[in-house]
Amino acid sequence: MERLTINISPHVVSPVDTRYMMKGVLKALIPAVAVSLFFFRWYAVGVIFTSVAGCVIAEYVGQKIRGKQVRVNDLSAVVTGLLLAMVLPPAIPLWMAFLGAIFAVLMGKEIFGGLGCNIFNPALLARAFLMAAFPVALTTWTMPVTLDAMTTATPLGLAKFGPYAASYMSLFLGNVGGSLGETSALALLLGLGYLLYCKIIDYRIPLAYIGTVVVLSTIFYFISPDRFMPPQFYLLAGGLLLGAVFMATDPVTSPITPKGRWIFGIGCGLVTMIIRWWGGLPEGVMYSILFMNAFTPLINRMARPRRFGMVRGKV
Amino acid sequence: MLKDFLKGLWRENPVFVQVLGMCPTLAVTTKAVFGASMGMATTFVVVSSSIVISLIRRFIPEQVRIPMFTVIIATFVTAADYFLKANFYQISKALGPYVPLIVVNCLILGRAEAFASKNGVFRSFLDALGMGLGFTCALVVLGAIREVLGAGTVFGYRVMWDGFSNWIVMILPAGAFLTLGLLVGVFNMVDKKISVEKK
């Protein structure tokens, strides 16, 4: 008889680990990256490469400094770098992208204790930092394909400061000015489909976020069609889809309970539309997600699911 | 004796260890020179008020000591404010309301309550001087870092190369919080290393 081996639990280990999740996000980003490469050519290559390299280097150095095991292999730094590149304008000087990448990992993640301990989404935090540090470079947009040296504005910027005739086909395919990865709704929807199919993200946050934006903008469009753009414009333009699919669903910085996720998504949608309509900036996706990130611990505490056997209303 | 003086510089540094007086620390350190002048004004106030409070500490009734401390501190703050207005008008204007606000800097009231009202004049003087200098050093370091990155200069002298783009965030409030947080972290790291080596 063979020797009986006795082990302590767990006996069954799920194949879903950090690396698996990150790989899934990277695959989901393939369409967006491809579109950015097609529309912004060498700019996209440079920014993506610099940003990813910066994040990986910063992660390695940060974990060495903190005396922790180096876990660059879990690909989370690569995802942060790629997401950061997706939200940067194409013509940003590369050293700024590098600085942002280092800031994302060191200030956004390592300083809180590494992956899983951060309060804010690192990529968006870095973008907010760059936005505050270099406002001109972060709002200089390039024409797609022609890569005109002449700068252009994003559709949201054009609509905010004057009448704008939107071409919805361009918005859907991504043939407009904007950050590298945010222009093409089609590519982002493909990514969303993949993430949902692989169950890497939950449908609640994107649905609540996008739903809030659509409902709000529909109501306002019917109240005053001359003052507000139609809902499909607010859905397709700007970083809404990128934010709702890849940023707001960050498992570390978003709530974990189903009810909490609804609240989180609705909050993001509200803040986004408030900034877009009445704020000083044309786009509010970044700040809305960072804003709701800050509330995540509170939402987690508030939206606890009812425990089995507990009576409603009693603790 | 010497310990009373030295503790303000490092072990009980008002900014990096006690985290007192955050209002001027964060608000006026957009440039090194503002940090230095705010630090010096505060040093003057904390030293003078500590001496006076220590001198009359036996006559202050326990129940009204805080109002009395505040009146004494306010006297010296007014003097410092008028001195700056008369001699360094530009700096006084740039510091704005933060010079009168030295009155409510808890560092000063803290020294009065914790040290000057319990100790002799000379020791109170050394303690206040150490605290004031520690505060000044912290503000100058903070101001210098923010000025280098935010404007490319230190004390008005250009130190960065010509093509350097200013990190505007550093002279915004966010830059103050970032720099202060990092400095406190670095301070703790160094402090830990020193105490480990001592053992």
Side-chain angles (χ1 to χ4, degrees), chain A residues 65 95-96 99 103 107 111 128-129 132-135, chain B residues 163-170 172 174 178 182 189:
Chain A
I65 291 176
W95 68 268
M96 285 183 194
L99 180 74
F103 188 90
M107 296 289 107
I111 211 162
F129 171 77
F134 315 107
Chain B
F164 178 75
S165 334
N166 297 335
W167 302 15
I168 295 164
V169 66
M170 296 311 281
L172 299 175
L178 276 176
L182 288 178
M189 247 167 74

Side-chain angles (χ1 to χ4, degrees), chain A residues 207-232:
Chain A
L207 182 64
Y209 192 169
I210 296 168
T212 308
V213 168
V214 170
V215 169
L216 270 182
S217 51
T218 311
I219 295 171
F220 276 82
Y221 183 62
F222 278 113
I223 293 173
S224 165
D226 339 312
R227 274 190 58 209
F228 300 104
M229 298 291 284
Q232 65 267 31

Side-chain angles (χ1 to χ4, degrees), chain A residues 235-249:
Chain A
L235 176 64
L236 295 174
L240 175 67
L241 286 171
L242 181 64
V245 175
F246 290 101
M247 303 291 189
T249 54

Side-chain angles (χ1 to χ4, degrees), chain B residues 49-195:
Chain B
S49 58
S50 280
I51 292 174
V52 172
I53 288 165
S54 168
L55 272 174
I56 60 168
R57 68 185 186 278
R58 291 184 209 290
F59 310 109
I60 299 177
E62 184 77 3
Q63 293 87 345
V64 292
R65 65 186 196 285
I66 299 291
M68 288 199 68
F69 294 163
T70 313
V71 170
I72 292 166
I73 294 165
T75 313
F76 289 111
V77 171
T78 313
D81 189 21
Y82 283 164
F83 176 80
L84 278 178
K85 271 201 181 116
N87 295 298
F88 302 98
Y89 185 65
Q90 290 304 325
I91 287 177
S92 159
K93 219 171 137 186
L95 293 180
Y98 292 102
V99 179
L101 277 176
I102 295 175
V103 178
V104 289
N105 189 330
C106 31
L107 162 66
I108 296 164
L109 200 61
R111 281 353 276 170
E113 171 78 6
F115 204 95
S117 62
K118 291 178 188 133
N119 290 291
V121 176
F122 188 60
R123 286 190 64 194
S124 300
F125 164 74
L126 284 179
D127 168 75
L129 191 65
M131 287 292 164
L133 287 180
F135 187 71
T136 311
C137 291
L139 258 62
V140 171
V141 171
L142 198 58
I145 293 175
R146 290 179 69 192
E147 194 182 341
V148 166
L149 295 175
T153 57
V154 177
F155 285 107
Y157 295 105
R158 180 120 200 122
V159 289
M160 287 303 202
W161 58 96
D162 275 338
F164 178 75
S165 334
N166 297 335
W167 302 15
I168 295 164
V169 66
M170 296 311 281
I171 48 177
L172 299 175
F177 283 102
L178 276 176
T179 319
L180 180 70
L182 288 178
L183 279 177
V184 172
V186 169
F187 194 93
N188 278 333
M189 247 167 74
V190 174
D191 205 46
K192 222 180 216 171
K193 224 168 217 172
I194 290 174
S195 58

